[in-house]
Amino acid sequence: MRENGGVPEKPSLDGLEQRWARRWEDDGTYRFDRTRTRDEIYSIDTPPPTASGLLHVGHVFSFTHTDLIARYQRMRGREVFYPMGWDDNGLPTERRVQNYYGIRCDPLLPYDPTFEPPAEPPKQQVPVSRRNFIELCLRLAAEDEQAFGEVFRYLGLSVDWNHSYQTVDAGSRAAAQRAFLRNFARGEAYQAEAPTLWDVTFRTAVAQAELEDRERPGAYHLLAFHRGDGGDVQIDTTRPELVAACVAVVAHPDDARYRSLFGSTVRTPVFGVEVPGVAHALAEPEKGTGAAMVCTFGDLTDVTWWRELQLETRAIVGWDGRIAADPPPGLDSAAAVEAYAAIAGATMHTARERMVDLLRTSGELIGEPRPITHPVKFYERGEKPLEIVTTRQWYLRNGGRDPDLRARLVARGRELSWHPAFMRARYENWVEGLNGDWLVSRQRFFGVPFPLWYPLGSDGQPNYDEPILASEAALPVDPSSEAPPGFAEHQRGKPGGFIGDPDVMDTWATSSLTPQIAGGWERDADLFGRVYPMDLRPQAHDIIRTWLFGTVVRADAEFDALPWGNAAISGWILDPDRKKMSKSKGNVVTPMGLLEEHGSDAVRYWSASGRPGTDTAFDVGQMKIGRRLAIKMLNASKFVLGLGAADEPTAVFDPLDRAMLARLADVVQRATLAFDGYDYARALEATETFFWSFCDDHLELVKDRAYGSRGPQAAASARAGLSLALSVQQRLFAPVLPFVTEEVWSWWQEGSIHRARWPSADELRDVAADGNPALLDAVATVLVELRRAKSERKLSMRAELAGAAVRGPRAGLASVAADDLRAAGRIVGPLTFSDNGDALTDLTVDVDVADAGR
RNA sequence: GGGCCUGUAGCUCAGCUGGUCAGAGCACUGGUCUUACAAACCAGGGGUCGGCGGUUCGAGCCCGCCCGGGCCCACCA
């Protein structure tokens, strides 16, 4: 320990972020030491933020939580593996690139190596080749990631930036393709041609996990279907445009009204197609008229009916979301064909209007449409309702069709330590509610392609049943520009040649491998052995069903084990009005602006006060409190160090000093336990409460003594106690306030505080010896009474008191600190203590201010 | 409709397995230039702990019902 020559005249928070961020970078403070063994390491599967635009305050909030844990574990002596990833793979980047540059991908165009996007995005998007498109995706992602990295450094994340990855980089692509090939080899990946939820804007299939419901206006249309006996069956539908796709009319088997319908047929309105009347338990008698038309396909229930009742297929919705040009099978009559022509090629919206006109004209629309609001399925990033289109897609088994696998994955969830524990229920609810396997193929461009090709027969038709697989050694591959083993590029698309699988993987199919990607799976076996399975997966609760579950699925398949031991689930940021903070609002307050205005420590303080898993209000007030705390740390450190830092634990003999250290030992113990349980908020609360009373009471009490008013020995005890307490408190705050604690630590200590040892309650207790924490309370109570006496008389705290009498059960306790109390209260006359021994009487203080001077 | 979370001073929140638990900070009011800090310090007034029952010697803390807020899922003719 050196002299306090490092204490500045006027301590300030200004510029701490830049100064220490640079220093940490230069010193490699957070560099991962890969010579350490697995049991010495704490590894983190950092969430890769979507690199599509701007960070918002939610990122600052949740990434701080992870950093709190990382810093705590590092101070506990664990070597922390804390990488950073960027999720730049997928639709968000594509969409941002389209808008940013004013381009769109046309995979049929040839690559133009000289292409540069227009300076200003044109109104009409410029079509570019797939390769040009991907190059621009990479370029913009790199720019965004640079900006994100600056914010995260300024925020003080203790990431080792040498361990960074992108979900589109070669390592990620190879890992995703390798994992897929192994899934395929084990039978966990398969392809199937089936009705698929389809986004007509993006023209891609989407998975169950990416759906959301939105309330949309609609209308019931009561339609007449005609029976052979001349009677009608009335059916309410919200989708009259699908009458042409109707393949049956269904009702509940117990519905007496429709008993005669079952086994007979009806003719559809307008088109006059004869369809069977069928019974199925999913038909609900209370809905509409109790009878429904089954279309291929209007919704997922239609798919169930179609499959289970083995109905015909009469698809009319194309990939583009428009009505197909040609009528489906079954619409044979001239009238039907003519009617169909009216809707062919139309969008859903237009088709519905025209269909209603046709129905009205034919008299088969009974009454007028009755407007309603009803939930409609959307792709979570989409703008138009999903349609259902039959396509060939790749699936990964996730238990959605296999009760045994599902049970095993639920069991995996129980092996995992969830913080907070109740988040496990969300996982189980999701897994138990799965209704199909994981659809992983997407008809998009900017993503990881499937590492396979299909041979073309002599007729030029692909054989999907015998794909040509890439070899693991060749990964990553791009089947759209590379030829498969045993073929040459000129055979692409030719009879007897091959075609590449045109699809890319769902972005979750890559990000479900982040522990493997970051850990160096099959790329750096040494590293992988040291960090995998990881210790922690931090993430938000809204992506338990996607990211967390997907990662468990992949690790279970490949390693038959969990990918990590702990999952820390953070909450969301709420607007002051208690609503989830929208992206638009979150972006009004940019993270960098927030950090610059309040200081990173202050914003971190606000984040740290949000308990794990709890949604937290965006609260500038908390940040101001955090800033005040950081300033207090500067001033208190300056003061204590100004008294002379004394690393002499044996000098601490005064009962009050020992009491303070004993109480601090309790605080250390509580903070440690809280951090071990991932409850950083509780740890902070305990530390902060102690710190303020340390500053307001203890410092005031011992100030005089520390100056030497009662001799060198008494002063040495005070100084040694203060030094030790300061050192401990600086370290307790270090995870939350990394900048200011590093600053004050540098005034008197060697090395970074963030590599310093986390304080030990036991060692503190050794120094505190017989210190009694209750003494602190007793003395504080007396001090408050002395102050109150002055405050009520509007006296300065410097005013002298003629005397005071302390009575109560703990008066004797407080008498031990009589001299300190006398000094802090400026009592010039007698100060007496009498233990009245009455447990029901609290400690009272009679203050004699009669002769008080000013 | 099912699951989970949540409702404590004007605001943001603590209250760990039921017994000084009615708290903290902010805000508010009134003081104080006190030689670490006036972007500070000192003191004070604020709540029948969403509602109604129940268990208990004793309940913000446990149970039931109801009301309000949030998230997830299901439904979506």
Side-chain angles (χ1 to χ4, degrees):
Chain A
M1 220 165 280
R2 59 177 193 232
E3 279 301 307
N4 58 315
V7 182
E9 200 57 39
K10 185 88 179 146
S12 161
L13 298 178
D14 295 342
L16 292 188
E17 287 90 352
Q18 291 95 329
R19 178 141 51 92
W20 287 111
R22 188 176 310 123
R23 180 70 177 276
W24 293 330
E25 188 92 48
D26 292 346
D27 291 354
T29 306
Y30 310 121
R31 196 171 297 152
F32 176 64
D33 175 2
R34 58 177 298 164
T35 67
R36 305 283 285 274
T37 55
R38 183 66 191 84
D39 58 312
E40 300 172 313
I41 288 168
Y42 187 87
S43 48
I44 299 172
D45 180 21
T46 315
T50 303
S52 59
L54 297 170
L55 287 174
H56 56 100
V57 288
H59 287 108
V60 168
F61 182 70
S62 58
F63 277 79
T64 296
H65 295 165
T66 306
D67 189 59
L68 298 170
I69 300 300
R71 289 182 181 278
Y72 167 71
Q73 292 291 348
R74 193 178 289 112
M75 293 178 76
R76 284 305 296 273
R78 304 283 286 279
E79 184 63 21
V80 175
F81 180 70
Y82 189 6
M84 181 56 71
W86 308 108
D87 190 14
D88 36 23
N89 160 351
L91 266 181
T93 302
E94 284 195 30
R95 190 164 52 176
R96 175 157 155 77
V97 165
Q98 288 178 1
N99 296 335
Y100 189 88
Y101 294 117
I103 59 168
R104 65 180 171 83
C105 180
D106 182 346
L108 298 177
L109 289 176
Y111 176 59
D112 175 1
T114 65
F115 178 80
E116 273 298 313
E120 289 289 317
K123 280 201 187 101
Q124 191 74 26
Q125 292 183 332
V126 180
V128 302
S129 76
R130 173 177 170 146
R131 186 163 160 192
N132 284 114
F133 187 75
I134 289 174
E135 283 179 0
L136 290 169
C137 286
L138 287 167
R139 183 197 294 186
L140 189 59
E143 287 176 18
D144 288 343
E145 286 154 18
Q146 176 71 23
F148 283 23
E150 281 170 22
V151 173
F152 283 157
R153 284 175 168 88
Y154 195 93
L155 176 61
L157 297 190
S158 60
V159 160
D160 181 352
W161 295 94
N162 296 310
H163 288 276
S164 299
Y165 65 88
Q166 298 168 274
T167 55
V168 289
D169 69 26
S172 297
R173 296 202 307 274
Q177 292 182 335
R178 182 182 305 109
F180 176 82
L181 288 172
R182 295 193 183 181
N183 286 134
F184 182 75
R186 289 189 296 261
E188 294 146 3
Y190 63 91
Q191 54 183 330
E193 180 148 7
T196 309
L197 285 162
W198 187 266
D199 184 282
V200 301
T201 309
F202 291 111
R203 298 187 188 178
T204 180
V206 302
Q208 183 189 353
E210 294 172 298
L211 307 183
E212 67 181 31
D213 288 349
R214 295 181 199 162
E215 285 290 332
R216 284 297 133 106
Y220 275 123
H221 304 68
L222 188 58
L223 308 185
F225 285 60
H226 312 293
R227 305 191 57 160
D229 60 10
D232 281 348
V233 176
Q234 296 189 348
I235 288 178
D236 253 330
T237 179
T238 57
R239 301 208 55 186
E241 68 276 18
L242 293 182
V243 167
C246 179
V247 293
V249 170
V250 66
H252 194 277
D254 299 337
D255 194 332
R257 294 171 293 176
Y258 297 105
R259 193 159 295 148
S260 66
L261 175 68
F262 307 139
S264 71
T265 62
V266 297
R267 278 181 298 106
T268 61
V270 177
F271 302 104
V273 175
E274 189 168 348
V275 299
V278 294
H280 195 282
L282 274 181
E284 294 185 26
E286 294 76 30
K287 278 190 183 165
T289 62
M293 64 172 188
V294 182
C295 305
T296 53
F297 299 95
D299 61 31
L300 291 173
T301 315
D302 280 345
V303 177
T304 304
W305 284 326
W306 168 79
R307 192 175 56 232
E308 295 188 4
L309 301 171
Q310 300 188 318
L311 302 170
E312 288 180 61
T313 305
R314 202 164 279 148
I316 64 168
V317 181
W319 291 12
D320 53 3
R322 291 170 180 268
I323 303 292
D326 298 319
L331 270 70
D332 303 324
S333 71
V337 170
E338 190 192 332
Y340 187 84
I343 60 170
T347 63
M348 284 301 137
H349 182 78
T350 306
R352 179 174 305 178
E353 289 179 347
R354 292 185 185 162
M355 206 55 226
V356 167
D357 287 344
L358 288 171
L359 286 160
R360 194 173 274 135
T361 304
S362 72
E364 288 159 314
L365 174 65
I366 303 166
E368 281 301 299
R370 290 113 61 208
I372 57 161
T373 322
H374 63 156
V376 179
K377 283 207 186 312
F378 280 72
Y379 170 46
E380 59 189 359
R381 301 180 187 282
E383 286 133 30
K384 287 189 176 171
L386 291 173
E387 295 296 344
I388 294 173
V389 177
T390 297
T391 51
R392 170 176 299 279
Q393 303 287 349
W394 281 100
Y395 296 84
L396 280 182
R397 299 189 194 282
N398 66 357
R401 299 174 171 281
D402 176 353
D404 291 341
L405 177 56
R406 197 179 315 165
R408 195 166 87 223
L409 292 168
V410 169
R412 287 276 180 243
R414 295 196 174 148
E415 287 175 43
L416 185 61
S417 293
W418 297 81
H419 311 286
F422 67 78
M423 287 295 178
R424 195 185 75 197
R426 301 196 179 208
Y427 173 89
E428 293 190 359
N429 286 166
W430 174 254
V431 178
E432 284 163 357
L434 287 169
N435 56 29
D437 280 328
W438 178 4
L439 194 164
V440 291
S441 45
R442 295 290 182 280
Q443 288 66 54
R444 300 298 304 178
F445 319 106
F446 189 59
V448 179
F450 287 83
L452 42 85
W453 301 260
Y454 304 102
L456 297 180
S458 52
D459 58 354
Q461 291 301 307
N463 179 359
Y464 290 111
D465 296 331
E466 291 176 31
I468 308 162
L469 305 175
S471 74
E472 284 199 16
L475 301 181
V477 299
D478 177 9
S480 70
S481 64
E482 296 169 44
F487 288 84
E489 186 58 37
H490 72 267
Q491 293 176 276
R492 182 183 297 274
K494 301 280 167 48
F498 68 91
I499 55 166
D501 188 304
D503 291 349
V504 297
M505 295 181 201
D506 169 15
T507 186
W508 299 110
T510 304
S511 58
S512 60
L513 297 163
T514 51
Q516 289 91 319
I517 290 168
W521 177 52
E522 298 287 316
R523 171 171 60 79
D524 185 340
D526 175 77
L527 178 67
F528 195 64
R530 293 173 198 276
V531 303
Y532 189 95
M534 299 213 175
D535 290 279
L536 177 65
R537 155 59 70 87
Q539 63 162 83
H541 54 65
D542 57 329
I543 53 176
I544 289 174
R545 63 177 182 168
T546 46
W547 192 36
L548 192 147
F549 176 57
T551 313
V552 170
V553 168
R554 306 306 290 277
D556 176 75
E558 184 67 33
F559 302 103
D560 194 20
L562 276 178
W564 359 256
N566 296 278
I569 310 295
S570 60
W572 275 335
I573 305 307
L574 303 177
D575 283 342
D577 63 3
R578 304 265 80 193
K579 292 284 195 296
K580 183 189 172 190
M581 197 166 217
S582 60
K583 281 239 164 109
S584 56
K585 280 191 184 174
N587 286 344
V588 170
V589 187
T590 66
M592 196 49 116
L594 209 58
L595 296 176
E596 285 172 344
E597 180 181 353
H598 302 283
S600 292
D601 282 339
V603 176
R604 290 175 62 103
Y605 171 89
W606 161 70
S607 301
S609 64
R611 302 186 104 70
T614 305
D615 292 346
T616 300
F618 179 77
D619 187 355
V620 172
Q622 279 302 107
M623 299 175 199
K624 291 185 170 158
I625 296 164
R627 185 172 181 86
R628 213 166 303 179
L629 175 64
I631 292 172
K632 194 76 173 178
M633 175 55 78
L634 287 175
N635 288 320
S637 297
K638 178 188 170 194
F639 177 56
V640 170
L641 296 178
L643 293 169
D647 184 13
E648 298 170 61
T650 55
V652 181
F653 71 89
D654 188 281
L656 187 61
D657 299 333
R658 290 185 165 187
M660 181 273 292
L661 292 177
R663 172 59 56 78
L664 180 55
D666 292 344
V667 171
V668 169
Q669 184 171 348
R670 273 190 289 148
T672 304
L673 273 172
F675 259 123
D676 281 340
Y678 292 82
D679 195 346
Y680 41 79
R682 184 185 291 273
L684 170 60
E685 189 182 45
T687 304
E688 188 187 9
T689 302
F690 179 89
F691 178 64
W692 284 105
S693 65
F694 172 80
C695 289
D696 295 343
D697 298 336
H698 187 78
L699 236 35
E700 294 299 328
L701 280 162
V702 305
K703 187 183 274 187
D704 212 55
R705 176 156 56 90
Y707 280 134
S709 64
R710 298 217 308 281
Q713 251 198 321
S717 176
R719 290 178 192 169
L722 292 176
S723 291
L724 181 55
L726 182 70
S727 160
V728 167
Q729 290 177 91
Q730 288 177 348
R731 283 176 283 157
L732 288 177
F733 278 121
V736 180
L737 312 173
F739 293 103
V740 75
T741 54
E742 185 75 307
E743 170 71 10
V744 295
W745 190 256
S746 75
W747 294 346
W748 64 314
Q749 305 279 1
E750 297 297 337
S752 171
I753 193 172
H754 302 297
R755 285 284 182 175
R757 201 169 38 82
W758 184 252
S760 149
D762 288 342
E763 289 175 26
L764 262 181
R765 292 205 175 97
D766 285 346
V767 179
D770 60 351
N772 178 6
L775 169 60
L776 225 48
D777 302 326
V779 172
T781 304
V782 177
L783 184 60
V784 165
E785 291 302 325
L786 297 177
R787 286 167 175 163
R788 193 207 315 273
K790 298 182 189 182
S791 193
E792 281 174 353
R793 291 164 181 79
K794 304 193 192 309
L795 295 174
S796 157
M797 286 301 131
R798 294 189 68 190
E800 295 179 340
L801 295 175
V806 181
R807 288 182 288 105
R810 293 190 300 194
L813 211 52
S815 69
V816 174
D819 289 333
D820 285 338
L821 277 169
R822 185 184 292 279
R826 293 185 176 265
I827 302 170
V828 296
L831 171 62
T832 64
F833 297 85
S834 56
D835 213 329
N836 66 5
D838 183 351
L840 296 177
T841 308
D842 206 347
L843 191 139
T844 61
V845 182
D846 292 331
V847 181
D848 181 1
V849 292
D851 299 317
R854 292 227 169 204

